[in-house]
């Protein structure tokens, strides 16, 4: 029944009616507004391996990466994000929230560590920390962290242990169980990694809908050996014949147009080659190989074609990885999870200058990029992939430690295509995800206070281009060392004296200010040493729990080197 005012009933003034309606319905409007706030997000962290800072399109590259570019266009890009310069330290830091040296996953001057190091019991990984909030965690791809995957809190895993042949599954593990032998017809590691991730997502959608998930998607690509599908290589076959100088200049110009960098372009260091010298590899690879970034016009025709072909394979691997990421995105959309999934993308270190021959060796008569070949990018095109920065993987100059970081979350990040200049580090991922998941940081473990975690939450930077406050960022790897305080960076390669750079205008590390500013050098050196001493004291407490030298099989030790 509808009631309406009669002639005997005065009509309420519209202004008064509006006020009453506002009072009556304001709580409901507020509740509806609260309901629009995103729930705890799903999280997908995508990690590439040996990807250069400028390799993907949205960071200046010419490689076709439409899916990653789309995430960047509808999310945010961090311009000063860092890794640890090497694969296994980065993975340990990323998943634990601690510097690798704090948890025995990289060495200190007085404490051995690295790929064979064993974390302390308290150094739990992100899946274990998320479990109390109801998250289910999945892993697809490279592991390279100590211990079985499932014991670290993941409920499913594809462990790509075979990192020497992209066309074979031999040696891999599923849920920590070795895969059965297969003829591997049609197998390619990058596709298999995405297939596993998609299968996990489908299972989650059908059996655990409504439960948040964390998926760690760690591609091997574009790590050596340079293996790619023939159709992907053909797309880039002749694209790099102009050489690494031309590629660097083109990428730098694009980066400047995108306002990604505000620094001069670094100079090629013709005297800096691979971090490890394997003369026998150069013999096996033949006269086309070059282990220095020499002027392109000084190379022979054979050398130019050989180098351009290697870069074409590297590009094909990145292109294919982006394509497979697109399939994962399509699955997230199909299951209705895309809007409330926070997707990160980063690289474990800079592009690699390494040149070596491992595993099954190298057949110079085989088609480049096929299973019978073993090629590495080398210092020439590695320098171009790390544009505009200096040096490569293993060094802690900017070229070794700078990574793209894309963050895309439609329900939680309203910014579209914006840049974030705050410095950040992979140790920041754990506190960021825990904050969004509503998980309070753990302060103790079994009655003992935990060491303070160095990471900072990046959540404030999701909303605006603000600086996440921190005292410093610190690096040490194989004698290469660095510290960053504000825009000042102190850095030295193994055996070299400290050099000082103002990264606000010189991220390419071209103008060494150490002689002009000795007091600043001493100030930053004290910061670096204090961190080193604290980490050493912590690591020594559990030194007796570390494996003795030579305790692991040599094959495992070789696998852990990269």
């Amino acid at each position: 029944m509808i009631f309406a005012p009669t002639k005997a009933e005065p009509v309420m003034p519209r202004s008064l009616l509006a006020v009453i309606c506002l009072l009556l319905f304001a709580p409901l409007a507020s509740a509806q507004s609260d309901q629009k706030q995103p729930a705890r997000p799903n999280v997908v962290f995508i990690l590439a391996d040996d990807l250069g800072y400028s390799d993907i399109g949205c960071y200046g590259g010419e490689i076709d990466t439409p899916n990653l570019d789309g995430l960047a266009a509808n999310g945010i890009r961090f311009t000063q994000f860092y890794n640890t310069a090497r694969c296994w330290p980065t993975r340990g830091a990323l998943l634990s929230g601690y510097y690798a040296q704090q948890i025995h996953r990289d060495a200190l001057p007085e404490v051995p560590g690295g790929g064979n190091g064993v974390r302390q019991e308290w150094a739990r990984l992100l899946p274990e920390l998320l479990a109390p909030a109801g998250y289910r965690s999945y892993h697809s791809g490279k592991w390279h962290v100590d211990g079985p995957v499932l014991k670290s809190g993941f409920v499913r895993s594809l462990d790509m242990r075979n990192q020497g042949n992209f066309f074979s599954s031999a040696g891999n593990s599923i849920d920590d169980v070795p895969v059965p032998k297969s003829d591997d017809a049609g197998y390619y590691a990058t596709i298999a990694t995405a297939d596993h991730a998609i299968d996990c997502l489908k299972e989650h959608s059908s059996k655990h809908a409504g439960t948040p998930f964390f998926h760690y998607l760690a591609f091997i690509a574009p790590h050596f050996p340079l293996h790619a599908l023939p159709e992907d290589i053909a797309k880039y076959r002749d694209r790099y014949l102009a050489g690494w100088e031309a590629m660097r200049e083109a990428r730098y110009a694009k980066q400047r147009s995108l306002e990604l960098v505000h620094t001069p372009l670094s100079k090629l260091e013709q005297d800096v080659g691979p971090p490890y010298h394997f003369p026998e590899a150069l013999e096996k690879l033949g006269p086309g190989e070059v282990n220095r970034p020499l002027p392109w016009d000084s190379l022979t025709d054979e050398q130019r074609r050989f180098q351009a072909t290697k870069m074409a394979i590297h590009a094909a691997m990145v292109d294919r990885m982006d394509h497979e990421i697109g399939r994962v995105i399509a699955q997230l959309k199909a299951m209705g999870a895309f809007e409330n999934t926070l997707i990160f993308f980063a690289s474990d270190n800079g592009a690699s200058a390494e040149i070596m021959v491992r595993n099954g060796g190298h057949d110079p008569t085989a088609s480049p990029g096929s299973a019978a070949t073993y090629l590495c990018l080398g210092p020439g095109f590695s320098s171009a992939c790390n544009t505009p920065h200096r040096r490569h993987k293993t060094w802690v100059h900017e070229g070794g430690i700078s990574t793209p970081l894309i963050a895309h979350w439609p329900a939680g990040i309203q910014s579209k295509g914006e840049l974030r200049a705050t410095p950040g580090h992979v140790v920041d991922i754990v506190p960021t995800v825990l904050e969004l998941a509503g998980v309070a940081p753990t302060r103790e473990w079994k009655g003992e206070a935990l060491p303070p975690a160095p990471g900072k939450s990046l959540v404030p930077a999701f909303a605006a281009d603000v600086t996440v406050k921190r005292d410093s960022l610190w690096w040490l790897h194989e004698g290469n060392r660095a510290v960053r305080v504000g825009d000042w960076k102190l850095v030295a390669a193994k055996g070299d004296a400290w050099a000082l750079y103002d990264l606000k205008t010189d991220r390419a590390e071209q103008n060494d200010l150490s002689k002009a500013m000795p007091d600043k050098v001493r100030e930053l050196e004290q910061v670096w040493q204090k961190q080193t001493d604290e980490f050493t004291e912590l690591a020594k407490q559990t030194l007796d729990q570390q494996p003795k030298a030579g305790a692991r099989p040599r094959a495992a030790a070789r696998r852990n080197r990269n």
Side-chain angles (χ1 to χ4, degrees):
M1 181 178 295
I2 298 175
F3 293 90
T6 64
K7 290 183 180 180
E9 298 171 320
V11 178
M12 186 179 296
R14 288 187 177 182
S15 59
L16 180 57
L17 180 62
V19 171
I20 293 174
C21 288
L22 181 62
L23 293 173
L24 287 174
F25 292 104
L28 178 59
S30 177
Q32 291 174 338
S33 176
D34 290 343
Q35 290 174 0
K36 292 179 181 178
Q37 296 299 313
R40 292 174 301 166
N42 309 304
V43 179
V44 175
F45 198 102
I46 306 171
L47 191 67
D49 199 333
D50 288 9
L51 181 90
Y53 181 77
S54 65
D55 269 337
I56 59 177
C58 55
Y59 276 81
E62 71 295 319
I63 302 172
D64 294 333
T65 53
N67 294 296
L68 289 171
D69 296 349
L71 294 178
N74 292 289
I76 55 177
R77 282 165 294 165
F78 289 77
T79 62
Q80 298 191 83
F81 202 75
Y82 292 111
N83 49 48
T84 73
R86 200 67 174 272
C87 42
W88 68 84
T90 289
R91 293 159 202 275
L94 168 68
L95 290 173
S96 73
Y98 286 93
Y99 285 113
Q101 290 78 3
Q102 293 179 279
I103 58 170
H104 294 293
R105 294 300 295 163
D106 207 352
L108 289 155
E110 300 178 39
V111 182
N116 295 338
V118 177
R119 286 173 291 126
Q120 302 91 329
E121 187 181 9
W122 53 259
R124 296 178 297 161
L125 303 186
L126 184 54
E128 296 174 271
L129 302 176
L130 287 172
Y135 278 75
R136 290 179 62 84
S137 295
Y138 306 91
H139 160 253
S140 305
K142 189 171 180 177
W143 179 232
H144 224 171
V145 184
D146 59 304
V149 184
L150 298 193
K151 285 190 176 180
S152 295
F154 292 93
V155 295
R156 288 188 60 182
S157 167
L158 167 62
D159 184 355
M160 286 283 186
R161 290 178 171 270
N162 185 344
Q163 295 158 33
N165 187 350
F166 279 73
F167 297 102
S168 173
S169 63
N172 292 344
S173 294
I174 295 178
D175 298 338
D176 294 323
V177 177
V179 299
K181 291 183 178 180
S182 168
D183 61 9
D184 286 328
Y187 178 92
Y188 185 64
T190 303
I191 297 174
T193 301
D195 284 345
H196 182 265
I198 291 168
D199 186 64
C200 290
L201 291 172
K202 287 181 176 179
E203 180 190 82
H204 187 92
S205 179
S206 64
K207 296 182 179 179
H208 306 283
T211 300
F213 62 82
F214 166 61
H215 203 123
Y216 176 46
L217 177 53
F219 289 100
I220 303 175
H223 190 287
F224 58 81
L226 299 178
H227 282 170
L229 301 175
E231 59 268 30
D232 293 339
I233 299 173
K235 183 176 178 180
Y236 296 94
R237 173 177 166 76
D238 297 328
R239 189 171 295 193
Y240 299 103
L241 287 171
W244 40 66
E245 294 105 333
M247 177 176 154
R248 292 178 86 235
E249 292 288 349
R251 288 193 176 189
Y252 178 63
K254 183 177 178 181
Q255 288 175 328
R256 292 295 295 265
S257 70
L258 295 172
E259 299 184 343
L260 282 165
V261 300
H262 306 279
T263 180
L265 176 62
S266 63
K267 296 178 182 178
L268 281 174
E269 298 178 89
Q270 295 182 20
D271 59 339
V272 177
Y276 318 106
H277 184 45
F278 297 107
E280 69 280 5
L282 295 176
E283 293 182 14
K284 294 175 182 178
L285 293 166
E289 189 57 276
V290 180
N291 69 346
R292 293 292 186 275
L294 302 175
W296 189 254
D297 59 11
S298 73
L299 305 184
T300 66
D301 289 345
E302 181 179 10
Q303 289 171 333
R304 284 194 287 265
R305 168 51 76 180
F306 188 82
Q307 299 300 315
T309 297
K310 291 199 301 176
M311 182 61 212
I313 303 168
H314 176 92
M317 296 171 79
V318 175
D319 185 310
R320 173 55 56 178
M321 177 177 63
D322 181 85
H323 180 83
E324 299 309 310
I325 290 170
R327 292 204 298 128
V328 174
I329 291 172
Q331 173 57 33
L332 290 170
K333 291 179 177 178
M335 58 194 279
F338 183 70
E339 292 294 312
N340 197 36
T341 296
L342 170 58
I343 301 176
F344 287 110
F345 174 83
S347 178
D348 64 351
N349 44 248
S352 174
E354 293 163 288
I355 295 177
M356 62 186 71
V357 175
R358 289 180 179 172
N359 297 87
H362 173 71
D363 180 357
T365 67
S367 179
S370 65
T373 63
Y374 201 102
L375 302 171
C376 303
L377 192 58
F381 277 113
S382 175
S383 295
C385 291
N386 292 329
T387 300
H389 305 308
R390 249 181 100 189
R391 301 283 172 105
H392 322 267
K393 168 186 175 181
T394 76
W395 282 278
V396 295
H397 289 75
E398 294 291 290
I401 59 177
S402 296
T403 172
L405 181 69
I406 298 171
H408 177 278
W409 179 23
I413 298 177
Q414 304 307 313
S415 302
K416 307 295 182 185
E418 294 183 7
L419 303 178
R420 297 292 184 260
T422 184
H425 191 283
V426 290
V427 294
D428 298 334
I429 298 303
V430 165
T432 301
V433 172
L434 293 183
E435 178 177 340
L436 295 172
V439 177
T442 304
R443 303 297 184 190
E444 64 175 39
W445 173 252
K446 294 187 176 180
E448 297 288 336
L450 286 175
K456 305 295 180 183
S457 173
L458 301 173
V459 171
F462 286 0
D465 188 17
V466 298
T467 298
V468 175
K469 294 182 179 180
R470 68 180 78 234
D471 293 332
S472 65
L473 291 169
W474 176 95
W475 291 269
L476 176 64
H477 182 64
E478 295 198 347
N480 304 310
R481 58 201 190 279
V483 64
R484 176 170 178 165
V485 177
D487 287 322
W488 293 106
K489 182 181 177 185
L490 197 65
V491 61
K494 183 178 181 180
D496 289 352
W498 287 112
L500 177 68
Y501 300 102
D502 180 359
L503 299 189
K504 187 173 184 180
T505 57
D506 185 23
R507 274 194 75 196
E509 298 169 317
Q510 299 298 289
N511 183 23
D512 179 9
L513 301 171
S514 60
K515 292 182 179 179
M517 305 181 68
D519 290 343
K520 180 60 72 172
V521 172
R522 283 191 289 271
E523 175 191 334
L524 267 65
E525 183 178 22
Q526 289 174 0
V527 174
W528 183 87
Q529 191 62 54
K530 183 175 183 292
Q531 287 281 77
T532 304
D533 292 344
E534 290 176 356
F535 295 168
T536 299
E537 182 181 357
L538 173 65
K540 282 184 174 179
Q541 295 175 11
T542 47
L543 185 56
D544 61 333
Q545 300 174 16
Q546 299 306 301
K548 304 302 180 184
R552 298 189 64 184
R554 295 180 66 184
R558 286 197 300 270
R559 184 171 63 241
N560 281 333
R561 284 207 300 266
N562 291 282

